[in-house]
Amino acid sequence: MQPPHAGTRRAPDVTSVDVVVDHGYRPAEIVVPAGVPVRIAFRREDADPCSERVVFSSPRIDRRLAASGTTIVELPGLLQGEVRFTCGMGRYRGRIRVEPAARRRRLGRRSGPLGSPLVMALLAWIGTLPFAAIVAALAADVGSGALATMITFIASVVIGLRAERRAPRPA
Ligand SMILES: [Cu+2]
């Protein structure tokens, strides 16, 4: 199953994670996007019987881990929520936190280099300051320069706030 924007966004078609098994799982918590297959490479570093197998809660997967080297466990795209994995008797514990894929996309869109429309409008206003200084110099009157500065400031805040209200917002 392909996520809807796979072509344009270069969304990964699998999430790969390395987990070291050494008297527990390292890392013990994995965060993955929902709906994307997960490929976990378990690397055993202890000879404890607890390291011999790993059992996933959902889907129910029970896998023997190679005594040395890496064992790959492939999981299908997961539903939002949590999947636990443990050793055979539940002493080693790990979990996969499955986050909604859509939230990641929205976060990516919101963290642009310039931020919100209001910030951009204020930056544009700072750009007008030299012109206010020229107006003041030409009029030989500091008062009219200050007035021009105030008017453009209010205008940029109003424009920025209106643009911000119109900007697409996560539901
Ligand atoms: Cu165990």
Side-chain angles (χ1 to χ4, degrees), residues 48-51 87-92:
D48 196 292
C50 276
S51 299
C87 67
M89 64 280 255
R91 236 181 69 203
Y92 290 3

Side-chain angles (χ1 to χ4, degrees), residues 115-163:
S116 74
L118 180 59
V119 171
M120 279 193 281
L122 288 174
L123 288 175
W125 169 70
I126 288 167
T128 67
L129 287 180
F131 297 103
I134 291 167
V135 168
L138 288 179
D141 174 10
V142 176
S144 64
L147 186 66
T149 304
M150 232 156 67
I151 290 169
T152 56
F153 177 74
I154 291 166
S156 71
V157 169
V158 169
I159 290 167
L161 285 177
R162 286 176 65 126

Side-chain angles (χ1 to χ4, degrees), residues 22-167:
D22 183 13
H23 301 96
Y25 301 115
R26 212 165 53 238
E29 182 177 272
I30 300 166
V31 181
V32 304
V36 180
V38 184
R39 190 171 187 272
I40 308 178
F42 286 96
R43 197 174 79 236
R44 262 186 84 177
E45 296 215 330
D46 72 16
D48 196 292
C50 276
S51 299
E52 277 170 11
R53 50 190 337 114
V54 62
V55 182
F56 290 81
S57 60
S58 164
R60 193 83 189 171
I61 292 174
D62 185 332
R63 197 60 55 79
R64 168 168 281 278
L65 300 181
S68 62
T70 299
T71 305
I72 306 281
V73 176
E74 313 242 15
L75 302 171
L78 302 169
L79 294 174
Q80 185 188 338
E82 190 179 286
V83 174
R84 274 159 290 122
F85 57 96
T86 64
C87 67
M89 64 280 255
R91 236 181 69 203
Y92 290 3
R93 285 184 202 150
R95 62 188 197 127
I96 304 171
R97 238 173 59 209
V98 187
E99 306 225 302
R103 177 145 59 115
R104 296 185 141 217
R105 281 205 291 276
R106 275 193 240 115
L107 284 174
R109 195 190 298 152
R110 282 170 68 80
S111 54
L114 285 177
S116 74
L118 180 59
V119 171
M120 279 193 281
L122 288 174
L123 288 175
W125 169 70
I126 288 167
T128 67
L129 287 180
F131 297 103
I134 291 167
V135 168
L138 288 179
D141 174 10
V142 176
S144 64
L147 186 66
T149 304
M150 232 156 67
I151 290 169
T152 56
F153 177 74
I154 291 166
S156 71
V157 169
V158 169
I159 290 167
L161 285 177
R162 286 176 65 126
E164 193 140 272
R165 220 172 297 139
R166 252 181 284 120

